[in-house]
Amino acid sequence: MADTATNQVGNSYGEANDSQEIAFDLGVFVGDLNFEEDVSSDDISLEGLQKELEECRNDDVVANILSKGTKLREYTKGVENNLRQVELDSIQDYIKESDNLVSLHDQIRDCDSILSQMETLLSGFQAEIGSISSDIKILQEKSMDMGLKLKNRKVAESKLAKFVEDIIVPPRMVDIIVDGEVNEEYMRTLEILSKKLKFVEVEPMVKTSKALKDVQPELEKLRQKAVSKVFEFIVQKLYALRKPKTNIQILQQSVLLKYKYVVSFLKEHGKEVYIEVRAAYIDTMNKVLSAHFRAYIQALEKLQLDIATSSDLIGVDTRSTSLFSRGREPLKNRSAVYALGERISILKEIDQPALIPHIAEASSTKYPYEVLFRSLHKLLMDTASSEYLFCDDFFGEENIFYEIFAGPFAVIDEHFNSILPNCFDAIGLMLMIRIIHQHQLVMSRRRIPCLDSYLDKVNISLWPRFKMVFDMHLNSLRNANMRALWEDDIHPHYVMRRYAEFTSSLIHLNVEYGDGQLELNLERLRMAIDDMVIKLAKTFSKTKLQTVFLINNYDMTIAILKEAGPEGGKIQLHFEELLKSNTAIFVEELLLEHFGDLIKFVKTRASEDPSSSSERPITVAEVEPLVKDFASRWKSAIELMHKDVITSFSNFLCGMEILRAALTQLLLYYTRLSDCIKRIPGGSALNKDLVSISSIMYEIRKYSRTF
């Protein structure tokens, strides 16, 4: 309440002061306007008065005073009186509230005393908390120090425990190594012993420890005992491989691979003994596999079917002198030296199992050498793949394979080197080349490189032999004795048939390979046969017989090349062109034989214009004998041509095509003759003797229907 009164008095006092201040200021200005009281003053200047009055006009207080018409001095006195009254009222309010103010003062003094005590207490607390904080910091440092010591002790304990575990030799391990049988438990114990041996050899801290002096002699004794024991064990297992009729692969997979850690142990801790084991295995497998392959090759040799000899060449006369034998081989004898026939099926049997000799021998079946070649190399691939993988797994070495297979390779090379120089079967050699290529692909798919160099070596040896045999065939054509080969027969010659079958076979075997060198050799062979067949044709006295002989041989060659498939290529196109050109020659010769005068007239005179003033114009008398001769015997002449064609050509379809071409050409000649007669003056008199074109067409269709 005292506060409220104080505020009111303050406010009133403030307002009064403000009013007094305003009144004072205005009184100064207004006093200047009182001319009656101070009219004689010389110090007062009225300059700017009007401007100041204008500025005070907008003041609210001044405007209010002026509106009431009150004088400023009276207004000032009123304000002073009000202020004095407010002051008196305020004093009375303070007097009324004096007790309360005294009580308030006492309360404030008590509060100051309490707060002073609390300050003293809190200061003590602060000092104690500072002391506790330092204690906590000390404890924290001690805790970190103890934690570090604990960690170091644990690390030391773990290392010491591992050291003790790695260096100690348990009695149980000693019993197993010395007296135990070599089994899975023995293998696990060997692994533990190996770790201990490596530990004492590798760890630098072990070499300075006193424990090593106690343990090392015992470990060395255990190592020697283990090496001796596993050596005897593994050698005993290896000797089992030498027993007859032992399935080597099963023994390797089911027995030896179970103990492959024994070899690893020897390799690490018994190097000298490992070398002995390695040498014993190499020696054993070398002898066993060499014996197996030698026996297999000897069994295969009994199944070999001889295909060709050095005299079985395209251009060599090998005809029998027997009374009942023909001078020619059968046209489609698929068992001939030069025909591929069913022999190509061997390329589809690449992945088939190898031959079992005693079964094949029991059935009295003989095979071309390429079948035996595939079977031998199939067995080699399977054996080599198995042995290569085993050596890599069991010994961890790939090179050991090549030492083992040095013997089998030598056995196969010895056999191959005895066969190859006596092989004159070019088709068989090319089949073997393709078989080797397929085997290389098989080994590549298996991702086993162990036979790469061997297969390359075989391939390199086959190509020169094939080239040599091929050149023998080529030279047999180039150096052929025409008198010995010639037969008074216009049908296909057996040499040409040999060439066609031989070429067709090689083209077929080159389809998927595109060997440019082989294509070049075939082109050389084609040029040689061209020369030879033309020489044979020239031995016939008549040109017509020469042409018929060539057509028969070319047609037969094309037919055989087509049987091999659409891969005849350039060679087939070449013979088709020769057949076409010789067919045209034969057609002309055949027509000249029966209609010579007519053809000569058409070629020399039919194109002349009878109405032109030439020295020797065409007359009816000149043409009439030709027309009447043709009309009298054209049908019989066509019949003779038909018989001639039937007897001349071995291929009926080819003969009919030639006859149709001849009759078509005859129709063209006769049509030109008829056109020429129409242009001759008086030629219409011969119309009765002219044979109608439709009649000739009918006859041509009649012969066309015969085939």
Side-chain angles (χ1 to χ4, degrees), residues 49-221:
L49 177 63
Q50 187 63 34
K51 183 178 178 181
E52 292 178 0
L53 289 176
E54 289 296 329
E55 291 177 355
C56 292
R57 180 180 298 178
N58 295 328
D59 189 274
D60 293 338
V61 176
V62 175
N64 187 26
I65 295 172
L66 292 177
S67 64
K68 291 180 179 180
T70 306
K71 291 185 178 180
L72 291 177
R73 296 186 184 279
E74 294 177 357
Y75 184 78
T76 303
K77 291 178 179 180
V79 170
E80 290 177 353
N81 292 332
N82 289 336
L83 288 172
R84 194 175 293 112
Q85 184 61 40
V86 169
E87 182 180 359
L88 293 174
D89 292 341
S90 297
I91 292 170
Q92 291 299 322
D93 287 339
Y94 279 120
I95 293 171
K96 289 178 182 180
E97 296 294 331
S98 61
D99 294 337
N100 292 333
L101 291 173
V102 172
S103 175
L104 178 62
H105 177 72
D106 293 339
Q107 289 177 3
I108 291 172
R109 190 172 59 202
D110 293 340
C111 286
D112 287 342
S113 176
I114 292 170
L115 290 174
S116 177
Q117 293 176 3
M118 289 184 67
E119 182 181 3
T120 303
L121 181 63
L122 290 174
S123 297
F125 283 163
Q126 184 178 7
E128 291 178 0
I129 289 172
S131 175
I132 292 171
S133 175
S134 63
D135 292 342
I136 290 173
K137 189 177 293 184
I138 292 170
L139 290 174
Q140 186 177 8
E141 291 176 356
K142 289 182 178 180
S143 175
M144 292 175 64
D145 186 47
M146 290 175 67
L148 182 60
K149 289 179 180 180
L150 178 62
K151 183 178 179 181
N152 291 337
R153 288 178 181 179
K154 285 184 177 179
V155 172
E157 181 186 5
S158 64
K159 289 187 176 181
L160 184 59
K162 187 176 185 304
F163 175 79
V164 172
E165 181 183 355
D166 289 340
I167 203 169
I168 195 172
V169 181
R172 174 67 178 164
M173 186 178 78
V174 176
D175 293 339
I176 294 173
I177 294 294
V178 175
D179 301 323
E181 295 182 0
V182 180
N183 50 27
E184 293 183 2
E185 184 182 14
Y186 196 93
M187 305 267 284
R188 290 193 295 269
T189 307
L190 277 182
E191 292 183 20
I192 297 172
L193 177 60
S194 176
K195 290 180 181 178
K196 293 183 182 298
L197 290 171
K198 290 178 182 177
F199 179 72
V200 299
E201 291 173 359
V202 176
E203 287 294 330
M205 60 178 290
V206 178
K207 296 180 180 179
T208 59
S209 66
K210 294 182 179 180
L212 180 62
K213 297 179 181 179
D214 297 332
V215 175
Q216 192 170 22
E218 300 301 323
L219 286 175
E220 180 61 22
K221 292 177 183 178

Side-chain angles (χ1 to χ4, degrees), residues 638 660 663-664 667 695-705:
I638 290 176
R660 180 195 292 177
L663 295 178
T664 303
L667 179 63
S695 298
I696 299 174
M697 289 291 293
Y698 173 78
E699 202 69 19
I700 292 175
R701 283 194 295 271
K702 184 177 72 173
Y703 283 103
S704 298
R705 286 194 295 270

Side-chain angles (χ1 to χ4, degrees), residues 477-478 482 526-536:
L477 291 176
R478 290 175 175 174
M482 295 299 120
R526 195 269 306 160
M527 295 170 65
I529 196 68
D530 279 349
D531 293 340
M532 195 211 73
V533 76
I534 289 173
K535 289 178 182 178
L536 284 175

Side-chain angles (χ1 to χ4, degrees), residues 198-314:
K198 290 178 182 177
F199 179 72
V200 299
E201 291 173 359
V202 176
E203 287 294 330
M205 60 178 290
V206 178
K207 296 180 180 179
T208 59
S209 66
K210 294 182 179 180
L212 180 62
K213 297 179 181 179
D214 297 332
V215 175
Q216 192 170 22
E218 300 301 323
L219 286 175
E220 180 61 22
K221 292 177 183 178
L222 287 176
R223 183 193 70 81
Q224 293 177 0
K225 181 62 179 178
V227 167
S228 174
K229 194 164 189 174
V230 297
F231 172 71
E232 294 175 1
F233 174 81
I234 203 69
V235 168
Q236 186 180 9
K237 295 296 182 184
L238 295 181
Y239 281 142
L241 295 170
R242 299 187 178 186
K243 294 180 180 179
K245 299 182 180 180
T246 299
N247 191 318
I248 296 174
Q249 293 181 8
I250 292 179
L251 184 62
Q252 288 175 337
Q253 298 298 323
S254 61
V255 178
L256 292 179
L257 279 180
K258 288 168 57 178
Y259 302 101
K260 68 178 182 178
Y261 184 74
V262 169
V263 175
S264 300
F265 181 83
L266 292 176
K267 197 173 184 180
E268 292 177 350
H269 306 292
K271 195 68 176 178
E272 295 179 358
V273 176
Y274 168 75
I275 293 173
E276 290 183 30
V277 171
R278 184 179 183 274
Y281 180 79
I282 292 173
D283 181 64
T284 298
M285 291 304 298
N286 189 311
K287 291 178 179 178
V288 169
L289 292 178
S290 298
H292 283 186
F293 275 99
R294 185 175 287 106
Y296 188 74
I297 289 171
Q298 291 173 353
L300 288 181
E301 289 175 347
K302 298 177 182 178
L303 304 176
Q304 184 174 346
L305 175 65
D306 293 327
I307 297 294
T309 63
S310 59
S311 60
D312 290 319
L313 302 173
I314 296 175

Side-chain angles (χ1 to χ4, degrees), residues 420-424 429 461-470:
L420 198 59
N422 298 315
C423 182
F424 298 93
L429 288 167
S461 62
L462 283 171
W463 271 108
R465 183 63 190 178
F466 170 79
K467 181 66 166 55
M468 191 195 78
V469 175
F470 188 92

Side-chain angles (χ1 to χ4, degrees), residues 387-541:
E387 189 62 30
Y388 179 83
L389 295 174
F390 174 79
C391 290
D392 187 34
D393 195 7
F394 191 68
F395 290 97
E397 295 184 45
E398 295 179 1
N399 293 333
I400 196 172
F401 167 85
Y402 300 101
E403 296 180 49
I404 292 170
F405 264 76
F409 284 155
V411 171
I412 297 173
D413 287 344
E414 180 184 356
H415 159 74
F416 197 55
N417 292 334
S418 66
I419 291 292
L420 198 59
N422 298 315
C423 182
F424 298 93
D425 180 12
I427 303 299
L429 288 167
M430 182 53 64
L431 282 170
M432 286 188 276
I433 291 172
R434 299 312 182 208
I435 288 170
I436 285 293
H437 178 76
Q438 292 297 322
H439 283 170
Q440 288 174 324
L441 294 179
V442 170
M443 295 301 290
S444 176
R445 286 193 294 269
R446 293 180 182 180
R447 297 185 178 182
I448 297 177
C450 60
L451 291 182
D452 288 355
S453 58
Y454 170 78
L455 294 176
D456 287 340
K457 183 181 71 173
V458 174
N459 191 46
I460 290 172
S461 62
L462 283 171
W463 271 108
R465 183 63 190 178
F466 170 79
K467 181 66 166 55
M468 191 195 78
V469 175
F470 188 92
D471 288 343
M472 289 174 65
H473 286 287
L474 181 63
N475 292 328
S476 71
L477 291 176
R478 290 175 175 174
N479 304 325
N481 186 342
M482 295 299 120
R483 292 183 179 180
L485 294 178
W486 185 76
E487 297 175 328
D488 191 10
D489 190 349
I490 58 174
H491 291 89
H493 198 277
Y494 64 89
V495 171
M496 195 67 177
R497 186 182 308 108
R498 289 176 181 175
Y499 163 79
E501 291 176 345
F502 184 74
T503 300
S504 174
S505 300
L506 293 181
I507 288 174
H508 198 103
L509 290 174
N510 198 39
V511 171
E512 297 180 2
Y513 301 91
D515 193 307
Q517 190 64 34
L518 180 59
E519 292 176 356
L520 181 62
N521 286 326
L522 287 175
E523 183 65 19
R524 293 167 58 209
L525 191 67
R526 195 269 306 160
M527 295 170 65
I529 196 68
D530 279 349
D531 293 340
M532 195 211 73
V533 76
I534 289 173
K535 289 178 182 178
L536 284 175
K538 289 180 179 179
T539 56
F540 290 95
S541 57

Side-chain angles (χ1 to χ4, degrees), residues 488-652:
D488 191 10
D489 190 349
I490 58 174
H491 291 89
H493 198 277
Y494 64 89
V495 171
M496 195 67 177
R497 186 182 308 108
R498 289 176 181 175
Y499 163 79
E501 291 176 345
F502 184 74
T503 300
S504 174
S505 300
L506 293 181
I507 288 174
H508 198 103
L509 290 174
N510 198 39
V511 171
E512 297 180 2
Y513 301 91
D515 193 307
Q517 190 64 34
L518 180 59
E519 292 176 356
L520 181 62
N521 286 326
L522 287 175
E523 183 65 19
R524 293 167 58 209
L525 191 67
R526 195 269 306 160
M527 295 170 65
I529 196 68
D530 279 349
D531 293 340
M532 195 211 73
V533 76
I534 289 173
K535 289 178 182 178
L536 284 175
K538 289 180 179 179
T539 56
F540 290 95
S541 57
K542 296 181 180 180
T543 306
K544 178 183 174 183
L545 293 179
Q546 295 177 8
T547 307
V548 171
F549 176 77
L550 291 174
I551 290 174
N552 279 328
N553 281 282
Y554 294 150
D555 178 66
M556 179 268 299
T557 303
I558 293 169
I560 292 176
L561 290 175
K562 285 182 177 179
E563 286 180 8
E567 299 87 13
K570 295 180 181 179
I571 295 178
Q572 183 176 319
L573 292 175
H574 170 76
F575 284 110
E576 287 175 351
E577 289 295 326
L578 291 177
L579 177 63
K580 184 178 179 181
S581 61
N582 280 277
T583 297
I585 294 171
F586 176 78
V587 165
E588 288 297 320
E589 291 176 351
L590 184 65
L591 293 176
L592 284 172
E593 183 179 341
H594 295 281
F595 303 100
D597 294 338
L598 185 150
I599 292 172
K600 288 178 182 178
F601 175 81
V602 170
K603 286 184 175 181
T604 57
R605 305 295 305 278
S607 59
E608 297 178 7
D609 187 0
S611 61
S612 62
S613 58
S614 61
E615 297 180 359
R616 185 169 169 260
I618 301 173
T619 62
V620 174
E622 185 180 356
V623 177
E624 184 177 7
L626 298 176
V627 173
K628 289 183 178 181
D629 178 64
F630 183 84
S632 64
R633 64 182 186 86
W634 70 279
K635 287 186 179 182
S636 60
I638 290 176
E639 180 63 28
L640 290 174
M641 289 168 59
H642 176 257
K643 291 179 179 179
D644 193 0
V645 167
I646 291 296
T647 55
S648 297
F649 298 105
S650 305
N651 186 349
F652 178 76

